[in-house]
């Protein structure tokens, strides 16, 4: 399936995807159920690049799911990414047939490459199926009817067409069996065609009382056919991922593929915010001094604000807190010298100079890649902090929306000025649903919406940015405050 330095590295023999390698494939239509694996070799660069492009789209879908967006909102967020990274034009487009084929090939191959990366655990499989199903739904529902028919004719789903006699016999049952709000009219039953499928294949339609159930069969009108297609798509993908997972150990022999696949599966989180690409002048190493930190706390997310408060209260912070907060401060622009200064002064009341140099200096320099393995560590993102282990007694680190008790969280929110009952209960719902970064985004909205003359870009609404990184929170907060101040000056 793909080639690097003239050597085939993935083939039927080592991933067992059930296809004959080397045979040219055509793509007469753009919608794909991904029932057959790719057959041709591609280069290592294409392998990586195509997978990363698809991953950008799936990661954004996952961010939208986290943010509880509706399908319409997801569609609006994903469209620009699809146009840029994974375009898939219809046959009616003015693009050349070669270009159409290239787009379809990239879509086909990238799907199968990511199967290799995301078949490795149940959790990854579940998330991949969910994101891919949304992508499929998006494409299917925006395709025209002839494209949909062409796709369905590719595969025998085992649905049984209900004949006219049986339809007449069940005429009244079709009307009365469904929920009154969704019940078809006499006229629509007459003009409708129905399929019979085993009831367990359409659990959503049954749960919402959208179909007639009889003798273990669900009678699905063609207007609801998409539910059937989607459930076939998800089930097939789920089974295929399990099969791939069983075949995967054979791939471990290829020492060029495995690191790429590991890297890809680690990348299946909301796109990581890179403080080096910050829009403010903060984030550049050396942009701030130790003594400015207290004045900037108003722009910190709750996790960093809580650690700063604990540091000021106890004149100390335990190891994981120092690591999390230290990297965050590095991300907003504290140089290693300023960082040493900041921690030395913060610990001064409890720790003498000798002890500080002996016990803490090394770790601070280590964060900046100046000791040990000399990695230039990046600030930790929300996903990493949410997955970290819970802080022990007298310890403070991780995400407060996840680790604070209900009382502790509501008093911390009170300190931020959030006392509105409706807002507090909405944040509680987010926390109960384990959507911690949605709660954090909501808090950003509530604490910044009163700033005059600036447009909110962070929020839970359509097309708005979600908080996925503490340094993103800081950057957007500071930017809004500055824009607001500048606009006030112009007005004044
Ligand atoms: Fe910090 Fe992220 Fe939690 Fe917000 S969601 S408090 S930025 S870890």
């Amino acid at each position: 399936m793909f080639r690097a330095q003239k050597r085939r590295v993935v083939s039927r023999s080592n991933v067992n995807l059930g296809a004959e390698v080397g045979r040219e494939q055509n793509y007469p239509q753009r919608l794909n159920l991904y029932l057959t694996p790719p057959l041709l070799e591609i280069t290592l660069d294409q392998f990586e690049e195509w997978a990363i492009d698809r991953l950008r789209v799936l990661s954004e879908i996952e961010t939208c799911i986290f943010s509880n967006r509706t399908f319409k909102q997801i569609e609006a967020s994903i469209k620009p990414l699809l146009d840029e990274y994974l375009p898939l034009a219809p046959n009616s487009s003015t693009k050349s047939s070669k270009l159409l084929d290239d787009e379809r090939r990239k879509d086909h191959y990238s799907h199968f490459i990511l199967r290799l990366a995301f078949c490795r655990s149940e959790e990854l499989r579940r998330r991949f199926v969910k994101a891919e199903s949304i992508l499929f739904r998006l494409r299917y529902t925006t395709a025209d009817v002839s494209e949909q028919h062409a796709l369905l004719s590719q595969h025998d789903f085992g649905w049984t067409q209900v004949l006219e006699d049986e339809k007449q016999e069940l005429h009244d049952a079709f009307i009365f069996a469904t929920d009154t709000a969704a019940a078809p009219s006499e006229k629509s039953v007459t003009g409708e065609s129905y399929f019979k499928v085993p009831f367990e294949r359409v659990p959503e339609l049954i749960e919402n009382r959208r179909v007639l159930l009889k003798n273990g069969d669900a009678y699905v009108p063609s207007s609801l056919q998409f539910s059937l297609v989607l459930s076939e798509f998800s089930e097939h993908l789920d089974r295929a991922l399990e099969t791939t997972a069983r075949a995967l150990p054979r791939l471990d022999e290829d020492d060029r593929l495995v690191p790429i696949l590991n890297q890809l599966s680690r990348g299946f989180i909301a796109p990581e915010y890179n403080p080096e690409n910050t829009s403010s002048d903060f984030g550049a190493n050396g942009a701030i001094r130790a003594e400015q930190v207290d004045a900037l706390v108003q722009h910190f997310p709750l996790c960093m604000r809580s650690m700063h408060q604990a540091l000021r209260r106890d004149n100390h912070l335990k190891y994981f807190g120092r690591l999390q907060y230290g990297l965050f401060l590095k991300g907003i622009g504290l140089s290693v010298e300023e960082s040493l200064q900041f921690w030395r002064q913060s610990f001064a009341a409890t720790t003498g100079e000798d002890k500080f140099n002996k016990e803490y200096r090394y770790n601070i320099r280590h964060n900046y890649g100046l000791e040990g393995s000399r990695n230039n560590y990046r600030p930790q993102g929300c996903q990493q902090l949410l997955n970290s282990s819970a802080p022990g007694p007298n310890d403070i680190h991780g995400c407060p929306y996840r680790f604070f008790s209900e009382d502790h969280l509501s008093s911390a929110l009170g300190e931020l000025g959030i006392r509105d009952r409706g807002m507090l209960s909405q944040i509680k719902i987010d926390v109960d649903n384990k959507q911690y970064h949605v709660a954090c985004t909501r808090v950003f909205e509530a604490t910044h919406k009163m700033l005059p003359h600036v447009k909110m870009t962070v929020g839970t609404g359509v097309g708005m940015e979600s908080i996925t990184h503490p340094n993103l929170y800081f950057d957007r907060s500071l930017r809004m405050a500055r824009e607001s101040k500048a606009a006030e000056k112009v007005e004044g």
Side-chain angles (χ1 to χ4, degrees), residues 87-211:
L88 211 51
N91 290 348
S92 55
S93 139
T94 52
K95 289 182 180 174
S96 70
S97 57
K98 176 173 179 323
L99 208 55
L100 291 182
D101 252 8
D102 288 348
E103 287 181 357
R104 292 165 192 189
R105 182 171 299 109
K106 178 177 175 182
D107 174 63
H108 187 203
Y109 280 65
S110 61
H111 170 88
F112 274 90
I113 296 166
L114 291 191
R115 277 193 192 183
L116 295 173
F118 297 111
C119 65
R120 294 153 175 248
S121 73
E122 207 181 321
E123 165 72 4
L124 283 174
R125 288 197 289 272
R126 187 186 57 73
R127 290 166 57 196
F128 183 66
V129 171
K130 193 162 185 182
E132 278 284 341
S133 301
I134 289 178
L135 179 58
F136 177 74
R137 181 177 168 194
L138 226 142
R139 284 172 162 168
Y140 187 90
T141 50
T142 49
D144 66 34
V145 177
S146 64
E147 289 180 295
Q148 294 173 354
H149 282 164
L151 177 80
L152 299 184
S153 64
Q154 266 184 1
H155 182 65
D156 177 12
F157 292 108
W159 308 338
T160 313
Q161 179 95 39
V162 176
L163 300 176
E164 198 52 34
D165 285 355
E166 192 180 2
K167 195 178 108 179
Q168 291 305 332
E169 201 182 299
L170 295 172
H171 180 274
D172 291 348
F174 284 136
I175 294 173
F176 297 116
T178 50
D179 190 25
T180 24
S185 64
E186 290 237 16
K187 204 169 148 201
S188 67
V189 168
T190 313
E192 186 61 280
S193 56
Y194 288 82
F195 295 94
K196 263 193 289 194
V197 294
F199 76 95
E200 65 274 12
R201 285 166 68 176
V202 283
E204 254 181 55
L205 294 181
I206 290 170
E207 191 184 320
N208 298 321
R209 296 196 57 213
R210 305 288 303 276
V211 289

Side-chain angles (χ1 to χ4, degrees), residues 301-303 382 385 399-401 436-437 440 467 469-470:
L302 193 53
C303 49
C382 297
L385 296 172
C399 176
Y401 297 100
Y436 307 109
H437 73 285
C440 186
I467 298 298
H469 199 295

Side-chain angles (χ1 to χ4, degrees), residues 159-437:
W159 308 338
T160 313
Q161 179 95 39
V162 176
L163 300 176
E164 198 52 34
D165 285 355
E166 192 180 2
K167 195 178 108 179
Q168 291 305 332
E169 201 182 299
L170 295 172
H171 180 274
D172 291 348
F174 284 136
I175 294 173
F176 297 116
T178 50
D179 190 25
T180 24
S185 64
E186 290 237 16
K187 204 169 148 201
S188 67
V189 168
T190 313
E192 186 61 280
S193 56
Y194 288 82
F195 295 94
K196 263 193 289 194
V197 294
F199 76 95
E200 65 274 12
R201 285 166 68 176
V202 283
E204 254 181 55
L205 294 181
I206 290 170
E207 191 184 320
N208 298 321
R209 296 196 57 213
R210 305 288 303 276
V211 289
L212 169 69
L213 267 183
K214 189 169 173 255
N215 300 333
D217 284 332
Y219 287 70
V220 184
S222 59
S223 54
L224 296 179
Q225 197 182 38
F226 177 65
S227 290
L228 279 176
V229 180
L230 190 61
S231 106
E232 294 286 350
F233 178 86
S234 315
E235 279 170 25
H236 171 80
L237 182 53
D238 207 21
R239 285 194 302 272
L241 285 170
E242 281 179 22
T243 310
T244 311
R246 283 197 292 277
L248 205 63
R250 276 177 269 169
L251 196 64
D252 284 347
E253 290 158 22
D254 195 307
D255 56 2
R256 290 165 302 164
L257 271 194
V258 172
I260 296 176
L261 294 173
N262 286 340
Q263 195 62 30
L264 287 171
S265 56
R266 271 202 295 275
F268 195 29
I269 51 172
E272 196 66 337
Y273 170 75
N274 180 357
E276 283 148 32
N277 297 336
T278 178
S279 55
S280 70
D281 52 359
F282 288 85
N285 192 6
I288 64 165
R289 295 189 311 280
E291 64 268 24
Q292 289 178 291
V293 173
D294 286 288
L296 291 169
V297 172
Q298 56 177 312
H299 300 295
F300 289 6
L302 193 53
C303 49
M304 302 304 164
R305 179 185 282 256
S306 307
M307 279 186 292
H308 186 82
Q309 286 170 341
L311 178 63
R312 289 290 174 252
R313 185 190 61 222
D314 305 333
N315 302 303
H316 194 263
L317 211 52
K318 287 191 177 176
Y319 174 75
F320 286 111
R322 289 200 308 274
L323 178 69
Q324 179 177 335
Y325 191 39
L327 287 174
F328 169 78
L329 292 175
K330 176 185 172 189
I332 70 170
L334 218 60
S335 67
V336 65
E337 293 78 23
E338 290 296 323
S339 193
L340 285 164
Q341 172 84 343
F342 172 81
W343 290 104
R344 187 180 288 116
Q345 283 170 351
S346 302
F347 282 14
T350 53
T351 313
E353 182 75 18
D354 277 357
K355 188 173 178 204
F356 181 86
N357 286 337
K358 217 156 112 199
E359 294 184 14
Y360 303 111
R361 196 167 183 276
Y362 179 91
N363 282 343
I364 295 165
R365 287 174 51 79
H366 190 266
N367 282 352
Y368 284 78
L370 299 173
E371 302 284 0
S373 56
R374 299 195 172 250
N375 284 330
N376 190 13
Y377 293 97
R378 280 224 187 142
Q380 297 168 323
C382 297
Q383 194 81 25
Q384 197 176 351
L385 296 172
L386 286 165
N387 291 337
S388 62
S389 50
N394 305 323
D395 208 356
I396 180 154
H397 62 84
C399 176
Y401 297 100
R402 175 162 184 220
F403 295 122
F404 277 11
S405 67
E406 200 177 323
D407 286 348
H408 191 176
L409 183 59
S410 80
S411 99
L413 293 175
E415 283 175 30
L416 289 175
I418 301 176
R419 294 189 186 85
D420 176 74
R421 277 169 181 261
M423 176 57 71
L424 286 170
S425 74
Q426 192 53 60
I427 292 169
K428 183 173 179 318
I429 292 171
D430 294 333
V431 169
D432 289 346
N433 289 337
K434 301 192 182 346
Q435 294 189 314
Y436 307 109
H437 73 285

